[in-house]
Amino acid sequence: MKQFFVFIKKEFRHIFRDTWTVIILLVLPILMLVLFGYALSTDVKNTEIAVIDPSRDAATEKIISLLDLSDYFNVSLTVESPDQIEDVFRGDNPGLILVFSENFYEEIMHTGEASIQLIADGTDPNTAVTIYNYATAIIMSYQQELLRVQSFPYEINITPRYLYNPEMKSSYNFVPGVMGMIIMLVCAMMTSISIAREKETGTMEIILVSPMKPIVIILSKVVPYFFLSCVNLATILLLAVFLLDVPIAGSLFTLVILSFIYIFVSLAIGLLISSIANSQIVALLISGMALMMPVMYLSGMMFPVENMPLPLQFASHILPAKWYIAAAKKVMIKGLGFSSIVKEMLVLSIMAVVLISVSLKKFKTRLE
Amino acid sequence: MSNTVIHAENISRKYGAVQALSEVSFDVTKGEVFGLIGPDGAGKTTLFRILTTLLLADSGSASVEGFDVRNQYKEIRRRVGYMPGRFSLYQDLSVEENLDFFATVFNTTIKENYHLVKDIYVQLEPFKKRKAGALSGGMKQKLALCCALIHKPGVLFLDEPTTGVDPVSRKEFWEMLGNLKRGGISILVSTPYMDEAEKCDTIALIQKGSFLKIDSPENIVNDFGHSLWEVSGKNMFALLKDLRSFPGIRSCFPFGDTHHVTFSDESISSDKLKKFLELKGHEDTFLRRGKAGIEDCFMNLSHEDDIL
Amino acid sequence: MNIVTTEKLTKKFGSFTAVDHISFQVARGEIFGFLGANGAGKTTAMRMLCGLSKPTSGTGSVAGFDIYRQTEDIKRNIGYMSQKFSLYEDLTVRENIRLYGGIYGIKEKEIKPRTDSLLDELGFLSEKNSLVKSLPLGWKQKLSFSVAVFHDPGIVFLDEPTGGVDPSTRRQFWELIYKAADRGITVFVTTHYMDEAEYCDRVSIMVDGRIDALDSPGRLREQYESKTMDGVFQHLARNATRQAD
């Protein structure tokens, strides 16, 4: 038992004496969350709007004021003629130009149809789409208002619905994704690198030629990173709730249990990598290329799994992160209970059992 | 109980297509310093790893302190001290932390076995707070030895402990090994430096995975089997080339300030050689009978067929 | 005519004086042994001479170029071989020579005949298309020395070129050094083998950043009343007070 504690103490010394390890373990998660939450977020705030309004009637004024009142837009410019559109984009560079048709209110009243053209800067398609969606949502809300007041029917073509994220905050989606990624990073990458380092420096040879049991060696390599993952999990959740205003809608307990299972899976993957990799650089490459990239692109963190081509959808099913992120979204954002994530829990548990037993079996008591 | 501490029989091991060890057999008796002498790539490290249970041999058997390296590896791991060839301490831990860590890993404490490492550790004590990575080559070696000794092993395996270490630190290191041997510890040590062979009780000359010879250094030197001449002159490089063109020369190698020469025909007189060299324009040559060293023997044994 | 001259050359790292006012000359065509215990300052001194590290004070020139200002000229006119880095393991013998020939600006049409004559001399012709990593250590060391002098530099710096090499290859290596010296290349070499110190024309021994002895091996042995260079070295290096590398 004493061996075990001394080993863990040693492991923490390695971690805290290397500035870069500390940064990766403790600063990077925070940085990633803040980055995804703010900088990379596709949320749009205070976008400048230019307006071309030839009809200048009650309806157009109402729409303009609705837009202006929202957090997302500032109506800052009135343009006289459509010929000036390009000049306006070059000069004042608004996020969106709103072009009302002539006699807007009249047309709605009489034909039940009027048109608004939304012109956005397409150089950044993601932002353009978001801006377009927000503006459409606001205009629709006016339409609905009209519908209530007036007695004759309107045909409403598009209704954007944002059921679980009414404010359409993109950080809602990123938080579970970042959790999935950080835990994989800390557990799999750091564990495999720390074992590979001992092989590289030759200390693993001495440890192996000692009475220490292999299971104790493994446990003492794994426990520090388990602990650090828990710290990271707590940090991310606290930041999410208090800094990004992402609430934990479901049960915290369920979320923690789910995360623990995922941590075990990640640790087992780290051990597996270390049984293949004999140098730190190989461990880094394997965990970087084989884990981080797929987690980023296939787990549904950045792109929805449903929109992927079928082979990629299939590939995403073997990623533990995909199941974890899906379940975490259900619990955290939709506030669903344990019964709704039984499938994910089961998949992750099976993965954990299989991976842990394989990696224990694979851990070499000799050099080859 | 038998006096044999390490017993190896016909050990072979391949790495891919390379035969790292072929049919190696030897015994180390209790309290002996056994030296494996040979260049890099001769198979020394592979042999160490097999004996310390880190690698399995393809064929052959071996035991350490009576325990089989294949089946009873746990017993062996409890009883041996091992210092791998590379610097194998935690660079980011201090001298004291390293020793303390290895003591605990081997189920002991520094306090309990301090007497074993005391002579060596006192030299390290002034630097005990320093990180191991910041020590000089000689100091690192001493710390690694302390760490290998702290659990009172019966056998010490030291794989090239003096490689890359300067002559002064090397000498000190061998003095420490002498003290340990007097304390009853058996030592298997490897080195590429031939001049360290004489510090061992028994040596095995190893090259390309096979033993060229196993014997005491004295016997190996006495078995050289040829008269050896030391030749020196003004222009040593020209002298070397001309010596090799002398008919009847068997071998000729530079050795420090003289060239070591053997003849294929023992009856060739030194006067004849001297005359030959004078004709070649070497005026002040100096010839005398010399005694072969381990390095002469190594080259002699490894190049039986083409000695030049 | 001296190819290396230093005058009170000093290098400090913070408060630590790694090289402490060393002054010496190396004559053109000489084989100069540069000895010292681990941490005596050999590597630091050698780095300054190769133009890789800027001295703290003192002056020096290598191959006629100033070690402060003309480091690029120095690099073009010296050869360098260390124990660690020598050749690209995943290139063939010929590709390695071709690469270094190119780096040192040897004319394209000269490289091929010179490569062949070099390989012929080493007896490596049959291996010219083998990957370097498949060669035995001794061969690699011989090859990397030949590559280091391929561009006929005025001086070649060798940092422990024979560590771990078997005794006969070690001697073949020294024969290559002698041949290079015959061609007029100055050889500046460090080693831990004291018998190799005897092969040098002159030997300097560094202790604690200073050069404590500099002479021919024969005169050093006389001066310190020792039969071997090992004795001379032990006598001098034992006085060292420095411990860190």
Side-chain angles (χ1 to χ4, degrees), chain B residues 18 21 38 40-41 60 71 98 110-111 179-180 216 238 255 261 289:
Chain B
V18 182
L21 283 176
D40 286 3
N71 303 319
N98 263 295
I110 300 184
K111 219 168 149 191
N179 291 336
L180 293 175
S216 69
F255 264 82
V261 173
R289 267 190 187 274

Side-chain angles (χ1 to χ4, degrees), chain A residues 21-71:
Chain A
T21 313
V22 174
I23 289 176
I24 291 179
L25 287 178
L26 300 176
V27 183
L28 193 70
I30 298 173
L31 223 79
M32 265 169 97
L33 194 70
V34 172
L35 238 127
F36 282 127
Y38 284 117
L40 291 185
S41 103
T42 43
D43 280 356
V44 183
K45 270 192 185 140
N46 298 325
T47 304
E48 305 288 324
I49 291 187
V51 178
I52 301 177
D53 182 7
S55 65
R56 288 181 197 271
D57 52 37
T60 60
E61 254 156 44
K62 178 75 185 161
I63 291 175
I64 292 170
S65 78
L66 274 176
L67 285 167
D68 201 20
L69 279 174
S70 83
D71 279 348

Side-chain angles (χ1 to χ4, degrees), chain A residues 67-87:
Chain A
L67 285 167
D68 201 20
L69 279 174
S70 83
D71 279 348
Y72 307 115
F73 301 107
N74 275 335
V75 178
S76 59
L77 201 65
T78 315
V79 183
E80 293 307 324
S81 127
D83 303 339
Q84 288 169 284
I85 287 174
E86 278 202 37
D87 291 337

Side-chain angles (χ1 to χ4, degrees), chain A residues 2-3 6-7 9-10 13-15 17-18 197-212 214 365-368, chain B residues 13 15 49 52-56 69-70 73 77-78 80 82 84 86-90 92-94 97 101-102 104-107 131:
Chain A
K2 200 176 165 220
Q3 292 177 331
V6 166
F7 207 110
K9 194 165 96 188
K10 179 213 82 165
R13 279 184 174 141
H14 288 321
I15 293 167
R17 280 181 190 177
D18 184 52
R197 180 170 60 188
E198 297 226 18
K199 288 189 189 174
E200 225 171 67
T201 54
T203 40
M204 193 48 102
E205 280 180 57
I206 302 190
I207 301 290
L208 284 176
V209 185
S210 80
M212 248 178 121
T365 53
R366 299 176 200 273
L367 284 178
E368 285 195 345
Chain B
R13 166 81 203 202
Y15 280 112
R49 287 183 171 167
T52 51
T53 76
L54 284 169
L55 272 186
L56 290 175
V69 290
R70 184 180 292 263
Y73 69 93
R77 290 180 182 188
R78 232 188 290 274
V80 303
Y82 174 42
R86 294 166 293 174
F87 177 63
S88 45
L89 297 163
Y90 295 103
D92 52 349
L93 298 189
S94 71
E97 286 165 352
F101 174 73
F102 284 107
T104 319
V105 163
F106 282 93
N107 279 324
K131 303 262 165 67

Side-chain angles (χ1 to χ4, degrees), chain C residues 100-172:
Chain C
Y100 282 98
I103 289 177
Y104 284 100
I106 297 174
K107 286 199 194 78
E108 200 67 24
K109 59 174 184 240
E110 270 179 50
I111 291 180
K112 199 180 154 16
R114 282 177 68 176
T115 304
D116 287 340
S117 75
L118 183 155
L119 292 175
D120 187 35
E121 207 177 306
L122 291 172
F124 284 3
L125 266 179
S126 57
E127 300 290 335
K128 79 174 174 185
N129 291 319
S130 314
L131 289 183
V132 163
K133 64 177 162 206
S134 68
L135 301 177
L137 176 74
W139 288 42
K140 282 185 203 166
Q141 296 300 85
K142 282 198 275 183
L143 186 63
S144 56
F145 175 74
S146 303
V147 167
V149 296
F150 190 63
H151 61 295
D152 272 321
I155 180 168
V156 62
F157 291 89
L158 310 173
D159 195 1
E160 285 187 43
T162 53
V165 174
D166 72 87
S168 32
T169 313
R170 211 147 63 77
R171 287 175 171 77
Q172 289 165 12

Side-chain angles (χ1 to χ4, degrees), chain C residues 81-107:
Chain C
M81 172 193 168
S82 79
Q83 199 183 3
K84 272 184 215 145
F85 170 78
S86 40
L87 298 168
Y88 292 96
E89 300 259 305
D90 49 358
L91 295 185
T92 66
V93 171
R94 210 167 43 90
E95 287 163 347
N96 265 294
I97 301 176
R98 171 81 193 65
L99 173 72
Y100 282 98
I103 289 177
Y104 284 100
I106 297 174
K107 286 199 194 78

Side-chain angles (χ1 to χ4, degrees), chain A residues 63-130:
Chain A
I63 291 175
I64 292 170
S65 78
L66 274 176
L67 285 167
D68 201 20
L69 279 174
S70 83
D71 279 348
Y72 307 115
F73 301 107
N74 275 335
V75 178
S76 59
L77 201 65
T78 315
V79 183
E80 293 307 324
S81 127
D83 303 339
Q84 288 169 284
I85 287 174
E86 278 202 37
D87 291 337
V88 168
F89 265 119
R90 278 197 209 107
D92 303 276
N93 196 22
L96 189 73
I97 299 182
L98 213 56
V99 187
F100 292 97
S101 59
E102 272 175 54
N103 307 320
F104 187 81
Y105 189 69
E106 297 282 297
E107 279 185 15
I108 286 188
M109 286 303 146
H110 299 295
T111 66
E113 226 179 272
S115 72
I116 303 174
Q117 192 184 10
L118 296 177
I119 304 171
D121 180 356
T123 48
D124 181 357
N126 285 334
T127 315
V129 168
T130 316

Side-chain angles (χ1 to χ4, degrees), chain C:
Chain C
M1 175 120 151
N2 294 326
I3 192 154
V4 176
T5 336
T6 72
E7 190 64 43
K8 294 181 180 155
L9 192 62
T10 303
K11 178 79 187 186
K12 287 185 180 173
F13 297 108
S15 62
F16 176 70
T17 310
V19 174
D20 192 0
H21 294 85
I22 56 171
S23 307
F24 68 101
Q25 286 83 38
V26 179
R28 206 171 270 278
E30 199 175 16
I31 300 178
F32 189 85
F34 199 57
L35 311 187
N38 299 105
K42 289 184 313 249
T43 312
T44 312
M46 212 147 122
R47 282 200 184 133
M48 286 193 282
L49 296 179
C50 295
L52 298 173
S53 160
K54 210 180 173 85
T56 311
S57 66
T59 58
S61 76
V62 172
F65 300 106
D66 183 73
I67 57 170
Y68 285 89
R69 288 173 288 109
Q70 295 169 297
T71 53
E72 292 311 309
D73 297 296
I74 289 177
K75 286 177 195 166
R76 214 168 297 132
N77 285 282
I78 61 170
Y80 180 76
M81 172 193 168
S82 79
Q83 199 183 3
K84 272 184 215 145
F85 170 78
S86 40
L87 298 168
Y88 292 96
E89 300 259 305
D90 49 358
L91 295 185
T92 66
V93 171
R94 210 167 43 90
E95 287 163 347
N96 265 294
I97 301 176
R98 171 81 193 65
L99 173 72
Y100 282 98
I103 289 177
Y104 284 100
I106 297 174
K107 286 199 194 78
E108 200 67 24
K109 59 174 184 240
E110 270 179 50
I111 291 180
K112 199 180 154 16
R114 282 177 68 176
T115 304
D116 287 340
S117 75
L118 183 155
L119 292 175
D120 187 35
E121 207 177 306
L122 291 172
F124 284 3
L125 266 179
S126 57
E127 300 290 335
K128 79 174 174 185
N129 291 319
S130 314
L131 289 183
V132 163
K133 64 177 162 206
S134 68
L135 301 177
L137 176 74
W139 288 42
K140 282 185 203 166
Q141 296 300 85
K142 282 198 275 183
L143 186 63
S144 56
F145 175 74
S146 303
V147 167
V149 296
F150 190 63
H151 61 295
D152 272 321
I155 180 168
V156 62
F157 291 89
L158 310 173
D159 195 1
E160 285 187 43
T162 53
V165 174
D166 72 87
S168 32
T169 313
R170 211 147 63 77
R171 287 175 171 77
Q172 289 165 12
F173 192 90
W174 272 91
E175 285 174 30
L176 287 179
I177 292 182
Y178 277 126
K179 275 185 198 161
D182 260 7
R183 258 161 70 194
I185 297 173
T186 312
V187 179
F188 191 98
V189 57
T190 73
T191 179
H192 281 326
Y193 291 98
M194 286 303 127
D195 60 328
E196 292 185 349
E198 299 278 1
Y199 306 150
C200 303
D201 296 320
R202 285 193 308 149
V203 167
S204 73
I205 298 177
M206 273 188 94
V207 180
D208 288 349
R210 302 176 313 268
I211 290 185
D212 275 11
L214 200 173
D215 215 327
S216 71
R219 273 195 294 274
L220 284 177
R221 274 185 275 117
E222 257 169 52
Q223 189 188 338
Y224 291 94
E225 295 168 355
S226 165
K227 279 207 193 86
T228 58
M229 275 308 290
D230 188 46
V232 175
F233 188 88
Q234 300 278 353
H235 179 93
L236 284 165
R238 243 178 225 298
N239 302 328
T241 51
R242 189 186 280 181
Q243 289 294 354
D245 251 341

